[in-house]
Amino acid sequence: MTTRPAATAASVAFAAVAVAHLVAQLVAPESSFTDISQWFVMPLLAAALAASAPPPRTRLVGLVLVALGFSWLGDTAPDLFDGDASFLVMVGFFLCAQVVYIVAFVPYRAGSILHRRRWALVIPVVAVAALIVACAPGAGVLLVPVVVYGLLLATMAVLATGVSPVVATGAVLFVVSDALIALGAFTALSVPGFAIMVTYLAAQVLVAVGARAVAEPMLSSPDRAAAS
C-alpha cells in the first residue's frame, strides 16, 4: 500500500513486529515479549497508513487512523488493570474503535448489504445472536457490555460491505477475532492467542489497505498532487 520511503519503512517495521509477535504467540504466549510486542503493531500500522496518505487526507483515512489509535489503547491499557476491570477497559476502547469505524463507513451505506442485499443481513444477525447465547451463561455482569459491543461490531461489518470488498473482508475478520476473544473468555473453549491475533492483525491491515485504496483516486488527482 506504499510508495513513499517513510511508508515503506513503517510497513516493513510493522510486518517484522507483527510476524515476531505471532511467532511469540505460538512458542511463548505468556512471555513479556509477546505482551510488549503487541503494544507496537497498531502504531506502526497507523504510521504506514499515515505516511502513505499524507495530509490532506480523505475523511475515511483520517477516521481509520483514529480507530487504529483506539485499537492501540485497547491493546495496551488493559495491562494496567486486573480481572474484570482489564476486560472492561479493553472492551471500552475497542467499542470506541468500532464507533469510529461505523462513522467512517456510514457514507458508503448505499452500497452495503443494508440496501443492496438485505437478505444477507441474516448472516451477521444470526452470528451475533449465536455468539451472545453462547457467552451469556459465563458473562455474568459483563453481559450488557458484551451485547452492546456485539451489536456495534455487527453494524460495523454490515456498513463495511459498502466501502470495498477488501474493507469488508477486514471487517469480517474483526468479527471472527472478537468472537474468539469472547468464546475464550466466557466459555470452556480454549482459544489460542495466535488465532485471535492473526485474525485481528489481518483485519486491521485489510481495513487500512482498503481505506487507502478507496482514497487513491483523490490522492492521485492533479489538485491533490499540487497540494502535496
Side-chain angles (χ1 to χ4, degrees), residues 20 32 41 74 88 107 112 115 127 132 134 148 152 168 170 190 193 200 207-209:
S32 296
V41 284
L88 280 172
S112 72
H115 291 276
I132 291 172
V148 172
L152 288 173
S190 178
Y200 168 66
V207 171
V209 169

Side-chain angles (χ1 to χ4, degrees), residues 97-107 151-153 155-156 159:
Q98 296 306 328
V99 169
V100 174
Y101 276 135
I102 288 170
V103 173
F105 301 159
V106 159
L151 294 174
L152 288 173
L153 188 65
T155 302
M156 180 277 298
L159 292 173

Side-chain angles (χ1 to χ4, degrees), residues 120-131 154 158:
L121 289 172
V122 70
I123 299 173
V125 169
V126 170
V128 170
L131 180 64
V158 168

Side-chain angles (χ1 to χ4, degrees), residues 48-199:
L49 177 59
S52 69
R57 299 186 179 100
T58 64
R59 176 183 180 279
L60 178 60
V61 169
L63 287 172
V64 168
L65 287 171
V66 174
L68 290 175
F70 279 119
S71 298
W72 171 70
L73 290 172
D75 286 338
T76 58
D79 290 335
L80 303 176
F81 301 88
D82 296 316
D84 288 350
S86 176
F87 187 81
L88 280 172
V89 168
M90 180 186 72
V91 170
F93 281 121
F94 277 109
L95 185 149
C96 291
Q98 296 306 328
V99 169
V100 174
Y101 276 135
I102 288 170
V103 173
F105 301 159
V106 159
Y108 304 89
R109 62 189 179 279
S112 72
I113 61 173
L114 191 62
H115 291 276
R116 295 196 170 186
R117 291 182 295 277
R118 290 187 178 178
W119 59 266
L121 289 172
V122 70
I123 299 173
V125 169
V126 170
V128 170
L131 180 64
I132 291 172
V133 169
C135 295
V141 296
L142 298 177
L143 180 59
V144 172
V146 168
V147 170
V148 172
Y149 184 82
L151 294 174
L152 288 173
L153 188 65
T155 302
M156 180 277 298
V158 168
L159 292 173
T161 62
V163 184
S164 76
V166 173
V167 173
T169 302
V172 170
L173 287 174
F174 220 133
V175 173
V176 172
S177 179
D178 284 351
L180 291 174
I181 291 174
L183 291 171
F186 302 125
T187 73
L189 184 65
S190 178
V191 180
F194 177 83
I196 294 170
M197 288 305 300
V198 73
T199 49

